[in-house]
Amino acid sequence: LSPSILDGTCQGSDPGAIDIVAAYDSVLPMPLLTSLRTAFGPSSPFWTEHGYPTPCFFSYNEPLNRASEGGASLIRAAVEHVRPLAQRSFPRLFGGQGVHSGGQ
């Protein structure tokens, strides 16, 4: 990482290059972030309940549309907060032109 990222002098810098990379701070509201930290923290039962660590790669496929019920509602809540930023930063993934928030 760039030293400016580590020492904090990058504050207020351009959020990235459209359709290539983007970085945002403080995107999730604190209650949601706290819930995610609890659900997926190192001492969370999630890891042992899902047999982690494992020598094999594993992942989950969770429908992210708003009509989904049950399942990983916490993950969907995080996605709904991040989705507008992703749409703006990576418009081609979403089939649009997008608007770069850096003014370029």
Side-chain angles (χ1 to χ4, degrees), residues 32-103:
L32 179 55
L33 182 59
T34 299
S35 294
L36 287 164
R37 285 178 173 161
T38 300
F40 300 108
S43 61
S44 165
F46 172 86
W47 304 110
T48 54
E49 289 172 0
H50 293 90
Y52 193 85
T54 175
C56 302
F57 173 80
F58 75 96
S59 66
Y60 297 92
N61 184 344
E62 178 66 30
L64 297 178
N65 61 37
R66 293 171 202 237
S68 299
E69 294 183 17
S73 59
L74 186 59
I75 296 299
R76 283 195 304 277
V79 167
E80 290 307 314
H81 281 280
V82 175
R83 186 187 314 257
L85 298 173
Q87 288 172 322
R88 185 170 52 231
S89 297
F90 306 101
R92 286 189 231 166
L93 290 177
F94 296 91
Q97 297 298 317
V99 177
H100 190 278
S101 62

Side-chain angles (χ1 to χ4, degrees), residues 2-14 25:
S2 167
S4 66
I5 292 173
L6 299 174
D7 68 17
T9 59
C10 69
Q11 297 288 334
S13 63
D14 189 336
D25 290 324

